[in-house]
Amino acid sequence: MTAKQIVLQELPSDLDKSRLPEHVAVIMDGNGRWAKQRGLPRIMGHQRGVDALKDLLRCCRDWGIPALTAYAFSTENWGRPLEEVEFLMTLFERVLRRELREMMEENVKIRFIGDLSALPSSLREEIERSQQETAKNTGIQFTVATNYGGRQEILQACRAIARHVQEGTVSPEAIDESLFEQHLYTEGIPHPDLLIRTSGELRISNFLLWQMAYAEIYVTRTLWPDFDRVQFHQALKEYQDRDRRFGKV
């Protein structure tokens, strides 16, 4: 391990520990382009992207950031080539099976959000097992958005509340932000303070549309497989340099 790597295990001295985000969300963009630049198949970019996510998760733990949410697979990603989609499903399953012991050892609590019913049954089983076995862990909250779409999430929340109104268990006047959030996939998870998007794209791609209302957005041209602790340090430094007013003066 180099001196630089050793230093980066601890919070860099130019960051204020009291002003770190409580929750970081990431759109992990650029795996395919990373592979193409190196003359490799796209699947190699996804494999390298898993390593980058693992390091970011450990970095959040090391630096005292209690929650990380990763956009792993969107509702629109089904439109990718079948071979790539099948590989991603297999990759998710293999990683969960391989990493569960480490997540237990590192006290990670994992949760999946999205329409999981559309996933392969073997993957759903691994997801359920990982959630159950880590449910009592008290370390970092690691949320993985899989077959997730922000519009879909809002629609399903509206339908659920409409059913309650129809049944007479909720009055229209009782519908407020608190009630609405109880019907989102992210119930019980704090809203992200910081959204990081790699690869330079300037959009949020249907990710956490309700929850992202006042998140600070940081975009870097770095492709996801190259996003490391140095890049994360830069994102946190810019986050702390901003004046978060939440619509107030």
Side-chain angles (χ1 to χ4, degrees):
M1 184 177 286
T2 67
K4 179 180 179 181
Q5 288 172 321
I6 291 171
V7 169
L8 288 176
Q9 299 305 311
E10 298 181 356
L11 185 69
S13 58
D14 60 346
L15 292 177
D16 181 349
K17 186 175 182 178
S18 68
R19 298 180 57 239
L20 290 172
E22 292 289 311
H23 183 180
V24 173
V26 288
I27 298 177
M28 306 177 292
D29 200 10
N31 290 339
R33 276 166 282 178
W34 182 91
K36 183 178 180 181
Q37 288 177 2
R38 290 159 177 77
L40 300 170
R42 287 176 59 87
I43 61 176
M44 296 299 294
H46 294 307
Q47 289 180 326
R48 179 63 187 86
V50 169
D51 295 334
L53 179 58
K54 285 173 58 179
D55 187 57
L56 179 60
L57 180 62
R58 291 193 173 103
C59 186
C60 287
R61 178 202 63 191
D62 293 343
W63 291 359
I65 295 171
L68 173 68
T69 295
Y71 202 7
F73 192 86
S74 75
T75 50
E76 291 75 30
N77 286 158
W78 294 107
R80 292 185 176 189
L82 179 60
E83 180 184 0
E84 182 175 350
V85 171
E86 290 179 343
F87 172 80
L88 286 171
M89 296 298 122
T90 302
L91 179 64
F92 295 158
E93 186 176 338
R94 187 169 70 241
V95 168
L96 273 178
R97 190 178 302 117
R98 185 183 68 212
E99 301 295 332
L100 181 56
R101 178 177 295 180
E102 283 190 27
M103 286 192 290
M104 290 298 297
E105 291 174 353
E106 298 181 16
N107 201 25
V108 174
K109 181 176 183 179
I110 190 169
R111 177 171 166 183
F112 284 77
I113 59 172
D115 180 9
L116 305 183
S117 66
L119 303 178
S121 59
S122 58
L123 175 55
R124 294 200 307 271
E125 289 173 4
E126 288 299 325
I127 287 173
E128 183 61 25
R129 185 167 72 95
S130 66
Q131 291 184 139
Q132 286 184 355
E133 294 199 19
T134 65
K136 295 183 179 179
N137 287 353
T138 57
I140 185 168
Q141 170 70 61
F142 180 37
T143 305
V144 184
T146 308
N147 195 27
Y148 174 88
R151 289 180 175 179
Q152 174 199 54
E153 178 183 32
I154 291 170
L155 284 174
Q156 67 85 28
C158 290
R159 292 189 189 108
I161 294 172
R163 284 194 293 271
H164 292 315
V165 172
Q166 190 175 45
E167 293 164 358
T169 57
V170 171
S171 69
E173 293 75 22
I175 301 173
D176 57 13
E177 290 188 12
S178 176
L179 179 67
F180 188 78
E181 290 184 359
Q182 291 173 28
H183 292 81
L184 295 176
Y185 295 135
T186 54
E187 179 191 7
I189 300 173
H191 295 176
D193 301 298
L194 172 63
L195 169 66
I196 297 172
R197 177 159 193 160
T198 56
S199 87
E201 302 292 348
L202 300 175
R203 55 182 177 270
I204 60 174
S205 297
N206 200 21
F207 185 40
L208 299 175
L209 297 180
W210 172 277
Q211 300 87 341
M212 215 67 79
Y214 280 104
E216 296 296 322
I217 299 176
Y218 175 85
V219 176
T220 174
R221 291 188 177 277
T222 300
L223 301 179
W224 175 250
D226 290 328
F227 190 86
D228 57 17
R229 294 188 178 213
V230 174
Q231 298 282 338
F232 190 40
H233 175 202
Q234 293 174 353
L236 294 176
K237 187 69 173 66
E238 182 167 320
Y239 170 82
Q240 292 196 344
D241 287 340
R242 297 183 187 179
D243 180 18
R244 303 188 73 200
R245 297 188 298 274
F246 300 94
K248 303 173 185 176
V249 177

